[in-house]
Amino acid sequence: MTAPDMAPSPWIEARARVDAATSITPETRRLHRRIVSVVWLGLRSGRSSRGSAVWRALPYSATTLRQHIEGLWLAGMSWDNYGDWHIDHVTPQAMLPIGYVGDANFQRLWALSNLRPLWAAENLAKGANPSASSAGGAPRWGCFSGPGGGLRS
Protein backbone atom coordinates (compact mmCIF):
# COMPACT_ATOMS: atom_id res chain seq x y z
CA MET A 1 0.00 0.00 0.00
CA THR A 2 1.49 3.36 -0.95
CA ALA A 3 1.42 6.33 1.40
CA PRO A 4 -1.35 8.26 -0.47
CA ASP A 5 -3.58 5.17 -0.29
CA MET A 6 -3.17 4.77 3.47
CA ALA A 7 -6.13 5.77 5.62
CA PRO A 8 -5.40 7.84 8.72
CA SER A 9 -5.27 5.85 11.93
CA PRO A 10 -8.28 5.96 14.26
CA TRP A 11 -6.06 7.65 16.85
CA ILE A 12 -5.16 10.51 14.48
CA GLU A 13 -8.78 10.93 13.44
CA ALA A 14 -9.93 10.99 17.08
CA ARG A 15 -7.24 13.57 17.96
CA ALA A 16 -8.29 15.76 15.02
CA ARG A 17 -11.95 15.63 16.17
CA VAL A 18 -11.00 16.62 19.71
CA ASP A 19 -8.74 19.44 18.54
CA ALA A 20 -11.42 20.78 16.19
CA ALA A 21 -14.10 20.69 18.91
CA THR A 22 -11.96 22.38 21.58
CA SER A 23 -9.55 25.23 21.97
CA ILE A 24 -6.43 23.06 21.86
CA THR A 25 -3.79 25.00 19.98
CA PRO A 26 -0.89 23.47 18.07
CA GLU A 27 1.45 24.83 20.78
CA THR A 28 -0.56 23.10 23.52
CA ARG A 29 -0.60 19.87 21.51
CA ARG A 30 3.21 20.00 21.05
CA LEU A 31 3.73 20.63 24.78
CA HIS A 32 1.42 17.73 25.66
CA ARG A 33 3.32 15.43 23.26
CA ARG A 34 6.62 16.37 24.91
CA ILE A 35 5.20 15.68 28.37
CA VAL A 36 3.73 12.35 27.24
CA SER A 37 7.10 11.31 25.80
CA VAL A 38 8.93 12.03 29.06
CA VAL A 39 6.28 10.29 31.18
CA TRP A 40 6.17 7.28 28.85
CA LEU A 41 9.96 6.89 28.95
CA GLY A 42 9.75 6.93 32.74
CA LEU A 43 7.03 4.28 32.72
CA ARG A 44 9.05 2.04 30.40
CA SER A 45 12.26 2.35 32.37
CA GLY A 46 10.69 2.55 35.82
CA ARG A 47 12.86 5.58 36.51
CA SER A 48 12.02 9.24 36.50
CA SER A 49 14.76 11.52 35.30
CA ARG A 50 14.88 14.06 38.11
CA GLY A 51 16.76 16.30 35.67
CA SER A 52 13.58 16.54 33.61
CA ALA A 53 11.33 19.55 34.27
CA VAL A 54 8.32 17.26 33.91
CA TRP A 55 9.37 14.83 36.66
CA ARG A 56 10.53 17.69 38.91
CA ALA A 57 7.05 19.25 38.58
CA LEU A 58 5.17 16.02 39.32
CA PRO A 59 4.59 15.04 42.97
CA TYR A 60 5.26 11.35 42.24
CA SER A 61 7.90 9.14 40.62
CA ALA A 62 7.65 6.94 37.55
CA THR A 63 7.54 3.91 39.85
CA THR A 64 4.62 5.37 41.80
CA LEU A 65 2.75 6.13 38.55
CA ARG A 66 3.39 2.63 37.25
CA GLN A 67 2.09 1.06 40.50
CA HIS A 68 -0.96 3.35 40.42
CA ILE A 69 -1.88 2.31 36.87
CA GLU A 70 -1.24 -1.39 37.55
CA GLY A 71 -3.50 -1.18 40.61
CA LEU A 72 -6.36 0.03 38.38
CA TRP A 73 -5.93 -2.43 35.50
CA LEU A 74 -9.08 -4.09 34.22
CA ALA A 75 -9.08 -7.83 33.50
CA GLY A 76 -6.74 -8.57 30.58
CA MET A 77 -4.59 -5.42 30.86
CA SER A 78 -0.80 -5.69 31.12
CA TRP A 79 2.25 -3.77 29.94
CA ASP A 80 2.62 -6.42 27.23
CA ASN A 81 -0.64 -5.32 25.60
CA TYR A 82 -0.23 -1.58 26.18
CA GLY A 83 -1.59 0.07 23.07
CA ASP A 84 -4.75 -2.05 23.35
CA TRP A 85 -5.44 0.18 26.35
CA HIS A 86 -4.51 3.79 27.10
CA ILE A 87 -3.81 5.85 30.17
CA ASP A 88 -6.92 7.97 30.38
CA HIS A 89 -7.16 11.50 31.77
CA VAL A 90 -10.42 11.51 33.77
CA THR A 91 -10.71 15.25 33.18
CA PRO A 92 -9.57 15.64 29.58
CA GLN A 93 -6.67 17.77 28.46
CA ALA A 94 -9.17 19.71 26.33
CA MET A 95 -10.71 21.02 29.55
CA LEU A 96 -7.35 21.75 31.20
CA PRO A 97 -5.07 23.41 28.63
CA ILE A 98 -1.47 23.59 29.82
CA GLY A 99 0.49 26.81 29.45
CA TYR A 100 3.76 25.43 30.82
CA VAL A 101 5.07 22.46 32.78
CA GLY A 102 4.10 22.90 36.40
CA ASP A 103 1.17 25.31 36.02
CA ALA A 104 -2.08 24.61 37.90
CA ASN A 105 -3.71 22.82 34.94
CA PHE A 106 -0.59 20.66 34.49
CA GLN A 107 -0.87 19.59 38.14
CA ARG A 108 -4.60 18.77 37.80
CA LEU A 109 -4.19 16.99 34.46
CA TRP A 110 -1.31 14.78 35.63
CA ALA A 111 -2.53 14.13 39.20
CA LEU A 112 -2.67 10.39 39.97
CA SER A 113 -6.37 10.79 40.74
CA ASN A 114 -6.86 11.96 37.12
CA LEU A 115 -5.02 9.02 35.48
CA ARG A 116 -6.36 5.51 34.95
CA PRO A 117 -6.24 2.72 32.34
CA LEU A 118 -9.02 2.47 29.75
CA TRP A 119 -9.40 0.18 26.73
CA ALA A 120 -8.25 2.01 23.60
CA ALA A 121 -11.43 1.42 21.60
CA GLU A 122 -13.56 2.96 24.33
CA ASN A 123 -11.17 5.86 24.81
CA LEU A 124 -10.99 6.64 21.09
CA ALA A 125 -14.76 6.31 20.64
CA LYS A 126 -15.53 8.93 23.25
CA GLY A 127 -12.66 11.36 22.62
CA ALA A 128 -13.03 14.27 25.05
CA ASN A 129 -16.80 13.91 25.39
CA PRO A 130 -17.59 14.61 29.05
CA SER A 131 -20.89 12.70 28.82
CA ALA A 132 -19.13 9.44 27.89
CA SER A 133 -18.67 6.84 30.58
CA SER A 134 -16.89 3.56 31.05
CA ALA A 135 -18.52 0.17 31.46
CA GLY A 136 -18.39 0.71 35.23
CA GLY A 137 -20.40 3.93 34.92
CA ALA A 138 -17.62 6.29 36.00
CA PRO A 139 -17.01 9.14 33.55
CA ARG A 140 -13.73 8.87 31.68
CA TRP A 141 -12.32 11.38 29.24
CA GLY A 142 -9.11 12.19 27.46
CA CYS A 143 -6.29 10.04 26.20
CA PHE A 144 -2.73 9.14 26.91
CA SER A 145 -1.67 6.49 24.50
CA GLY A 146 2.05 7.05 24.53
CA PRO A 147 4.27 8.17 21.69
CA GLY A 148 3.58 6.36 18.46
CA GLY A 149 0.18 5.13 19.64
CA GLY A 150 1.54 2.88 22.35
CA LEU A 151 4.94 1.32 22.83
CA ARG A 152 5.35 -2.00 24.54
CA SER A 153 7.96 -2.62 27.20
Side-chain angles (χ1 to χ4, degrees), residues 1 15-16 22 31 60 62-63 69 76 87 97 104-106 123 127 131-132 151:
M1 184 181 261
R15 267 297 65 139
T22 64
L31 177 59
Y60 53 81
T63 301
I69 296 300
I87 296 177
N105 281 350
F106 171 87
N123 202 24
S131 64
L151 301 174

Side-chain angles (χ1 to χ4, degrees), residues 27-46:
E27 293 79 20
T28 300
R29 173 70 56 220
R30 279 192 297 276
L31 177 59
H32 183 73
R33 277 196 305 260
R34 286 187 196 116
I35 293 166
V36 165
S37 293
V38 169
V39 171
W40 179 243
L41 288 173
L43 281 172
R44 285 196 63 200
S45 69

Side-chain angles (χ1 to χ4, degrees), residues 1-62:
M1 184 181 261
T2 62
D5 297 332
M6 293 177 62
S9 76
W11 188 88
I12 291 171
E13 290 176 345
R15 267 297 65 139
R17 284 193 305 274
V18 169
D19 289 354
T22 64
S23 59
I24 296 177
T25 65
E27 293 79 20
T28 300
R29 173 70 56 220
R30 279 192 297 276
L31 177 59
H32 183 73
R33 277 196 305 260
R34 286 187 196 116
I35 293 166
V36 165
S37 293
V38 169
V39 171
W40 179 243
L41 288 173
L43 281 172
R44 285 196 63 200
S45 69
R47 296 185 312 266
S48 35
S49 170
R50 297 317 288 178
S52 161
V54 172
W55 287 112
R56 282 194 315 267
L58 291 171
Y60 53 81
S61 68

